[in-house]
Amino acid sequence: MSTEIESVLIENRVFPPFPNLVEGAAISGMDNYQAMCDEARRNPDAFWERLARENLVWDKAFTQVLDTSEAPFYRWFGDGEMNVSANCLDKHLNTPVADKTAIIFESDDGKVTSVTYKELHARVCQFANGLKALGYSAGERAIIYLPMSIEAVVAMQACARLGIIHSVVFGGFSSKSLHERTVDVGASLVITADAQMRGGKSIPLKAAVDDALAMGGCGAVRNVIVYQRVGGQLDWNNGRDLWMHDVSAGQPDTCPAASLNAEHPLFILYTSGSTGKPKGVQHACGGFLLWSLLTTKWTFDAKDDDVFWCTADVGWVTGHTYVAYGPLAAGLTQIVFEGVPTYPDVGRFWEMIQRHKVSIFYTAPTAIRSLTKAAESTPKYHPREYDLSSLRIIGSVGEPINPEAWMWYYKNVGGERCPVLDTWWQTETGAHMITPLPGVTPLKPGSCTLPLPGIEAAIVDEAGEDVERGKGGFLVMKRPWPGMIRTIWGDPERFKQSYFPPELKGYYLAGDGAQRDSDGYFWIMGRIDDVLNVSGHRLGTMEVESALVAHELVAEAAVVGRPDDTTGEAVVAFVVLNRTLPEGDEADQIAAQLRSWVAKEIGPIAKPRDIRFGENLPKTRSGKIMRRLLRVVAKGERITQDVSTLENPAILDQLSQAR
Ligand code: WTA
């Protein structure tokens, strides 16, 4: 852990909640919010018990709320039984929601298809029955490598229905990354598509699965089920490969949902940490669903007639919580979008909001920043050219949103009528943790404001002591909450070390630096570890370094982040080759080669923006790479720090000038 936290610009503008959103809100007014926080603080078990009973359908009621006997391996509602899919679908069947549109799917090329809750239930049941017929059952693991589609939601829900633990891998990850995850999770099933369409281009997925499985160690995989998205020729492994439509064909459209222990794992989602390989964050059925549903209701103040659009891919946690689970459990109509915000033009998001009359829009700062630039340079695609009057609430997730981007979003997309909800949370937290509420919170651009009721967020120093207001420190959660990570799949030790270091008194360590202002508002200052945030995607510097040194030309590599106007951070790699220092065109060629190598090893999101070659890296006499200095060099700034502990200070000049 490092305490090197850069200070943030603290904004003084305050935007009080809009009166029309306060009235009738799920949490309405500051007093109501405070009362809920007090209720949770006075008796946390009673608070969570009430919410779990009121919001989830239980097959067998729980008698214990929180079991701390094996802390930090907390168990929530641990003797209760329920089913996540039944709570998202079956629950609505005998209600008016049954005939309501569940998903409006818009493909890359603009074709729209939709399903009602009843139809979605039938499709999930048919596919679940098909999986059962193939012999799959609770506890097995399925890799899902699908594009944004109704089928992706069907696959996740069908797994949840049977208790098959899914692990969704983002379609932008390489076959190598897919392989790593398939092996780590011990998958017996892979669900993929022939290809995905993005920005008018077809990108093969099944071929990547074939490559991954050919890398060895995936012997447990019995089937690869393929959703036919694009059509055309495919390599086919008879006996192993099956079409998704064939698996569902002829199956009954009801399928009993398995009554599962609330602690049964719902999914494992890999995310980057500061060391080693990505870690498999494991979530539990009961707690995860409760927290997804509550935050969907509280944060977005979801109403029956809302049209909800979370633009995140199901390959990330946001697409789990706010596409596959939360909105369905809340009975909302939501948009699922296959494509990219820039195709066929940069007005795509605004045009879709207008056409589908979206009322709640949730996206990432990186999208806002790039669309801001595009709108300023091509006024035709400026959001003011579209009718966005259906919007009531707009949100942001994944990385800090800088005050300028916040203001642009607030003015131009929200029309100064919609609160901007800057939601802070993580793969590990399951759902929102610190966020404004539309009916409660005065907004300050750049702050994620206040913790949700039941969440004891705090800022502490290295010894776990609270720091004063206005001082930076580690963001922690002092109490467990139902939606929290349960363990790292296959590595309970790493779970303890990463999130509950002994010196922090048993608090959950988020890995972010933060500070609170005099109103108690939280301001996130970025990661305290070697994790980068590139376009809202977490990336470990170690992962990129390992990928680079796996290349035959590379002797050593160090990777750091550089602040970037659009992507938040950009990857900068300092590379020592095991040959003479290349110059000119040759250096460019090798850099290009290494960039595509990283794309192949991890995925295009990990490609270094900038590669600098040097004869060495700046190291201390004990051989430790001085990343702090590399970050300064990466920014193109002059080094003002003391470099006397460096073994080879001259190397800094070389790297500063390198291309
Ligand atoms: C960062 C995404 C500032 C943070 C849901 C966190 C944020 C990491 C915000 C988790 C925000 C997420 N303001 N930073 N509103 N939201 N982050 O696991 O560093 O992909 O630790 O979860 O993103 O990223 P993850």
Side-chain angles (χ1 to χ4, degrees):
M1 287 189 315
S2 119
T3 43
E4 251 182 72
I5 297 166
E6 287 175 28
S7 71
V8 285
L9 177 71
I10 294 202
E11 270 278 329
N12 294 316
R13 276 173 288 195
V14 180
F15 298 82
F18 297 102
N20 63 317
L21 291 180
V22 176
E23 202 176 325
I27 304 182
S28 174
M30 193 51 95
D31 291 348
N32 185 199
Y33 163 78
Q34 287 296 356
M36 286 176 75
C37 294
D38 291 345
E39 180 196 348
R41 227 165 269 144
R42 256 193 326 270
N43 189 343
D45 277 16
F47 174 77
W48 293 117
E49 174 175 358
R50 174 175 72 76
L51 293 169
R53 291 204 201 288
E54 286 172 4
N55 288 279
L56 296 185
V57 181
W58 294 91
D59 298 331
K60 178 171 163 260
F62 56 88
T63 62
Q64 188 177 25
V65 179
L66 172 63
D67 178 357
T68 59
S69 60
E70 313 220 356
F73 300 94
Y74 295 101
R75 293 172 59 84
W76 285 90
F77 323 117
D79 61 349
E81 286 179 15
M82 48 83 71
N83 184 281
V84 166
S85 174
N87 270 275
C88 292
L89 301 171
D90 307 40
K91 165 176 108 180
H92 302 304
L93 288 183
N94 295 313
T95 76
V97 177
D99 293 311
K100 179 175 172 179
T101 301
I103 298 177
I104 300 170
F105 171 71
E106 180 157 325
S107 68
D108 189 54
D109 63 2
K111 225 173 93 207
V112 175
T113 37
S114 60
V115 282
T116 63
Y117 272 88
K118 214 196 274 170
E119 289 162 349
L120 183 62
H121 172 264
R123 280 173 67 170
V124 169
C125 285
Q126 286 184 317
F127 187 56
N129 280 324
L131 293 179
K132 247 201 228 174
L134 290 167
Y136 291 99
S137 62
E140 288 187 78
R141 275 84 57 209
I143 289 279
I144 296 180
Y145 189 60
L146 282 169
M148 284 300 279
S149 52
I150 295 175
E151 283 69 17
V153 176
V154 168
M156 292 165 82
Q157 285 281 340
C159 286
R161 202 163 184 89
L162 301 180
I164 297 170
I165 305 162
H166 62 65
S167 186
V168 184
V169 178
F170 174 56
F173 276 122
S174 68
S175 52
K176 185 89 186 296
S177 297
L178 181 63
H179 173 254
E180 248 172 48
R181 288 154 172 78
T182 309
V183 172
D184 193 74
V185 88
S188 53
L189 171 65
V190 179
I191 307 172
T192 188
D194 52 356
Q196 61 177 338
M197 295 301 300
R198 282 172 78 79
K201 285 197 234 67
S202 159
I203 305 157
L205 290 176
K206 164 70 161 60
V209 171
D210 289 342
D211 286 349
L213 298 185
M215 290 175 194
C218 308
V221 174
R222 303 199 296 277
N223 294 104
V224 175
I225 298 179
V226 188
Y227 158 49
Q228 190 169 32
R229 166 63 186 91
V230 175
Q233 277 288 307
L234 266 196
D235 284 342
W236 205 252
N237 185 328
N238 283 321
R240 186 196 71 181
D241 300 348
L242 300 163
W243 289 112
M244 191 171 182
H245 53 258
D246 288 338
V247 172
S248 295
Q251 292 292 345
D253 60 8
T254 57
C255 168
S259 287
L260 300 166
N261 186 284
E263 279 296 310
H264 183 79
L266 175 62
F267 66 83
I268 297 159
L269 183 60
Y270 285 82
T271 189
S272 295
S274 46
T275 53
K277 291 191 169 162
K279 31 192 186 187
V281 173
Q282 181 180 318
H283 278 286
C285 290
F288 173 82
L289 191 69
L290 178 64
W291 200 218
S292 304
L293 173 57
L294 286 175
T295 53
T296 304
K297 287 184 180 175
W298 291 351
T299 309
F300 297 117
D301 189 29
K303 303 271 197 271
D304 280 348
D305 55 356
D306 269 316
V307 177
F308 179 82
W309 185 14
C310 164
T311 66
D313 192 284
V314 290
W316 309 107
V317 75
T318 310
H320 282 60
T321 311
Y322 300 109
V323 177
Y325 294 111
L328 296 179
L332 289 178
T333 295
Q334 71 171 319
I335 309 288
V336 169
F337 175 46
E338 180 181 43
V340 295
T342 47
Y343 178 82
D345 55 60
V346 293
R348 182 73 182 259
F349 273 4
W350 323 134
E351 193 274 327
M352 280 181 66
I353 293 172
Q354 168 180 291
R355 186 156 38 82
H356 295 296
K357 301 199 165 38
V358 172
S359 56
I360 304 173
F361 181 63
Y362 190 40
T363 196
T366 195
I368 299 163
R369 289 190 298 260
S370 69
L371 294 175
T372 305
K373 276 194 191 159
E376 305 301 341
S377 63
T378 323
K380 195 168 122 192
Y381 300 121
H382 195 283
R384 68 173 165 252
E385 301 300 318
Y386 302 80
D387 176 7
L388 305 183
S389 59
S390 55
L391 288 173
R392 328 193 274 112
I393 284 162
I394 55 179
S396 160
V397 59
E399 47 177 323
I401 176 164
N402 44 310
E404 306 77 68
W406 194 104
M407 285 305 303
W408 188 89
Y409 195 32
Y410 180 75
K411 278 199 182 131
N412 297 296
V413 181
E416 302 185 50
R417 290 176 283 106
C418 307
V420 174
L421 308 178
D422 176 0
T423 60
W424 179 89
W425 60 296
Q426 311 175 288
T427 305
E428 294 87 342
T429 68
H432 301 156
M433 298 293 278
I434 309 180
T435 174
L437 298 171
V440 173
T441 325
L443 307 171
K444 299 186 192 182
S447 168
C448 54
T449 75
L450 300 169
L452 287 168
I455 299 304
E456 293 298 325
I459 315 240
V460 300
D461 62 18
E462 282 96 340
E465 297 298 334
D466 285 307
V467 302
E468 289 164 48
R469 296 272 165 98
K471 284 248 166 68
F474 304 135
L475 177 60
V476 297
M477 305 299 143
K478 291 189 168 178
R479 285 194 54 85
W481 66 100
M484 69 193 299
I485 174 177
R486 293 305 192 266
T487 188
I488 291 176
W489 177 260
D491 203 346
E493 252 329 289
R494 190 169 172 203
F495 165 76
K496 280 204 276 192
Q497 279 167 16
S498 310
Y499 303 111
F500 295 92
E503 62 278 17
L504 291 189
K505 304 179 170 180
Y507 301 158
Y508 167 84
L509 176 69
D512 280 357
Q515 67 180 68
R516 292 179 84 170
D517 66 17
S518 52
D519 293 325
Y521 275 41
F522 286 75
W523 298 79
I524 305 294
M525 298 145 93
R527 300 286 306 187
I528 55 170
D529 53 13
D530 291 320
V531 172
L532 307 183
N533 193 323
V534 180
S535 299
H537 303 319
R538 265 164 79 169
L539 200 59
T541 52
M542 272 273 281
E543 282 170 71
V544 186
E545 287 166 10
S546 313
L548 283 167
V549 295
H551 191 279
E552 55 181 12
L553 285 178
V554 178
E556 216 180 351
V559 166
V560 299
R562 175 176 73 203
D564 183 272
D565 280 353
T566 308
T567 57
E569 277 187 293
V571 177
V572 179
F574 295 89
V575 172
V576 182
L577 297 175
N578 50 27
R579 46 150 283 171
T580 51
L581 202 61
E583 283 178 8
D585 288 352
E586 201 190 7
D588 291 343
Q589 272 163 23
I590 298 178
Q593 210 179 328
L594 294 181
R595 287 160 49 91
S596 40
W597 172 263
V598 172
K600 226 180 88 229
E601 289 283 295
I602 304 175
I605 50 171
K607 270 199 217 173
R609 176 81 58 83
D610 189 357
I611 296 186
R612 312 245 185 134
F613 299 108
E615 271 152 0
N616 210 330
L617 297 171
K619 288 183 189 157
T620 60
R621 281 176 233 282
S622 57
K624 205 169 163 280
I625 297 174
M626 297 283 281
R627 284 161 202 287
R628 189 164 51 84
L629 298 176
L630 287 177
R631 280 195 283 269
V632 178
V633 173
K635 277 196 249 178
E637 290 172 3
R638 286 182 65 82
I639 301 218
T640 51
Q641 287 98 329
D642 177 17
V643 295
S644 60
T645 55
L646 274 192
E647 196 189 330
N648 49 353
I651 198 65
L652 289 170
D653 284 335
Q654 186 180 54
L655 292 169
S656 304
Q657 283 148 25
R659 24 204 282 161

